[in-house]
Amino acid sequence: MENLRPETRAVHPPVVIPSGSRPFTTPIYQSHLFSFETAEALTGAFDGPNPDGSGFLYDRYGNPTAQAFERAVADLEGGAAALTTGSGMGAVNAVLMSLLRSGAHVVAQRCLYGGTLVLLNDLAERWGVEVTYVGGDDPAEVRAALRPTTALLVLETIANPTTQVVDLPALSAVAREAGVTTVVDNTFATPLLCRPLEHGADIVLHSATKYLGGHSDVLGGIVVFADAELRRRVWTHAIELGSALDAHSAYLLLRGLATLPLRVRRQSDNARYLAERLTGHPAVTRVHHPSLPAHPQHDLARRLLPEGAGGVLAFELAGGREAGRTFTEALQVALLAPSLGDVKTLAMHPASTSHAAVPPEDLASAGVTEGLVRVAVGIEHPEDLWQDFARALDKV
Ligand SMILES: *Cc1c(COP(=O)(O)O)cnc(C)c1O
């Protein structure tokens, strides 16, 4: 239309869509709404955006910046498609809530992320979902746990805090035979160290907040699917749940991804170095890292995680609870903080912090002892980290 007045022109400035050259990165698409040339195109967009970048409608259904991150992680994991969420728990919720119903049965690894365990308990209490917990290393135990109503097998590649490595190929093969979908939380391993879809999983998810983002400045989650139909089922529920990732966060996650291989390799090497130095220290009774020959799944880790056993380690102090607190407070380079995946080294003593409310006799079932310290190793120089640790160990 011609001769529009300033009030109208101010509201309708031209929208610049570059052509002839390409932006170097997918920009932050700070437009949660898209307009269409035809009613038919708008109607079609309610089915969600297409992988070719067409059909964007409304951010809760999908955003171009988020799609760039989805495509990048799907590629790294070897999946057919991916779905971003606003947090790792958003990813866990989107998967469990979309694929379970009242009366459905889940076989889950005992040593899962705390938030996932809380959610499973909640689904059991309020929605009648039934859960059987298994150890994570015995396919016969999984087979025995299966029921006609079993819908999901839920596992973690490397579990917190004792770095248990789950036998993905053996356990997912049992699930596959029975038509059960295997879901693997691959947050600790990242697709650089392990790609669960190659070992028989159907769905892989991440708290992207951790290694994928890598700098503790963004919250996000992602789910990767072996086939696109499974993505559709989860996406259909995710738009009801409202678990979408926002474009700013997607941009930071994409940016983090570029250095993921460098960071994870360094974190994994640093963790192995610290685990080796801690082994045999007089104040330390036990060290948990899959790279150590004494680790219960060391051989499995060498097959499943040939490029490195991850940046998280744990160790037990002879001095128990008091020593754990003293050690983590005496660190000067490493920071006293929960979480993991940061470029900085983070240390935490669960018995005096995250598990402070758990009675001592119940700690063991969570894999926690009174003197256990968990370390999420960063990318600092390993010698500086060891000196920091050695100084703090002198104080316990
Ligand atoms: C942190 C974490 C989650 C939850 O992720 P958020 O981004 O905090 O919601 C899920 N699984 C594992 C293994 C985690 O470490």
Side-chain angles (χ1 to χ4, degrees), residues 135-155:
D137 54 355
D138 183 4
E141 190 189 12
V142 172
R143 190 171 290 116
L146 293 176
R147 300 178 193 173
T149 50
T150 308
L152 298 179
L153 171 65
V154 180
L155 305 171

Side-chain angles (χ1 to χ4, degrees), residues 80-369:
L83 175 68
T84 45
T85 53
S87 70
M89 280 311 296
V92 175
N93 257 287
V95 170
L96 295 188
M97 302 274 279
S98 58
L99 302 181
L100 294 174
R101 58 178 67 240
S102 292
H105 177 241
V106 178
V107 179
Q109 189 181 338
R110 200 165 286 116
C111 209
L112 289 176
Y113 176 71
T116 307
L117 288 175
V118 169
L119 175 61
L120 283 171
N121 280 340
D122 196 25
L123 290 174
E125 268 176 36
R126 297 197 301 131
W127 304 108
V129 167
E130 302 183 311
V131 189
T132 305
Y133 290 98
V134 295
D137 54 355
D138 183 4
E141 190 189 12
V142 172
R143 190 171 290 116
L146 293 176
R147 300 178 193 173
T149 50
T150 308
L152 298 179
L153 171 65
V154 180
L155 305 171
E156 285 181 15
T157 319
I158 304 173
N160 194 37
T162 55
T163 68
Q164 182 200 4
V165 181
V166 76
D167 196 343
L168 283 184
L171 270 48
S172 64
V174 172
R176 179 156 305 242
E177 245 171 62
V180 170
T181 301
T182 300
V183 179
V184 178
D185 185 330
N186 197 32
T187 300
F188 275 49
T190 83
L192 265 298
L193 301 180
C194 183
R195 287 169 295 284
L197 298 178
E198 293 176 0
H199 299 289
D202 303 290
I203 296 178
V204 177
L205 62 87
H206 289 269
S207 167
T209 311
K210 315 291 171 51
Y211 288 102
L212 304 186
H215 300 77
S216 302
D217 54 5
V218 57
L219 194 67
I222 189 157
V223 189
V224 183
F225 304 88
D227 81 84
E229 187 41 42
L230 213 40
R231 182 195 191 272
R232 171 147 297 276
R233 280 176 67 192
V234 176
W235 174 81
T236 304
H237 186 76
I239 60 173
E240 294 170 19
L241 202 56
S243 53
L245 180 73
D246 90 288
H248 276 263
S249 299
Y251 182 86
L252 286 172
L253 291 171
L254 264 174
R255 182 159 182 150
L257 217 50
T259 55
L260 178 72
L262 298 174
R263 287 185 281 108
V264 167
R265 222 151 266 148
R266 174 72 169 219
Q267 282 156 324
S268 210
D269 288 349
N270 277 357
R272 192 187 59 214
Y273 179 76
L274 288 176
E276 283 167 0
R277 299 291 313 243
L278 285 162
T279 303
H281 189 285
V284 176
T285 52
R286 193 161 172 204
V287 185
H288 305 268
H289 191 256
S291 68
L292 298 174
H295 188 279
Q297 295 93 33
H298 177 67
D299 291 335
L300 174 65
R302 285 177 54 164
R303 275 190 285 129
L304 219 55
L305 308 159
E307 309 237 4
V312 174
L313 67 95
F315 59 96
E316 292 170 37
L317 288 164
R321 191 176 284 259
E322 208 34 57
R325 190 184 18 233
T326 306
F327 174 82
T328 50
E329 288 177 356
L331 292 167
Q332 291 177 5
V333 176
L335 301 172
L336 173 52
S339 197
L340 62 141
D342 196 272
V343 289
K344 299 181 181 78
T345 297
L346 313 175
M348 199 178 69
H349 175 231
S352 68
T353 55
S354 58
H355 292 62
V358 179
E361 61 274 18
D362 292 343
L363 280 179
S365 63
V368 174
T369 57

Side-chain angles (χ1 to χ4, degrees), residues 22-33:
R22 292 152 60 91
F24 231 63
T25 59
T26 303
I28 301 169
Y29 274 90
Q30 189 66 40
S31 178
H32 93 83
L33 194 58

Side-chain angles (χ1 to χ4, degrees), residues 18-98:
S19 65
S21 62
R22 292 152 60 91
F24 231 63
T25 59
T26 303
I28 301 169
Y29 274 90
Q30 189 66 40
S31 178
H32 93 83
L33 194 58
F34 294 77
S35 66
F36 295 81
E37 300 284 335
T38 67
E40 194 190 353
L42 193 163
T43 308
F46 280 102
D47 291 334
N50 303 303
D52 67 359
S54 68
F56 285 103
L57 169 71
Y58 188 88
D59 259 12
R60 186 154 45 74
Y61 289 58
N63 170 280
T65 317
Q67 189 183 84
F69 184 62
E70 288 171 358
R71 288 203 224 167
V73 179
D75 174 57
L76 289 175
E77 286 282 8
L83 175 68
T84 45
T85 53
S87 70
M89 280 311 296
V92 175
N93 257 287
V95 170
L96 295 188
M97 302 274 279
S98 58

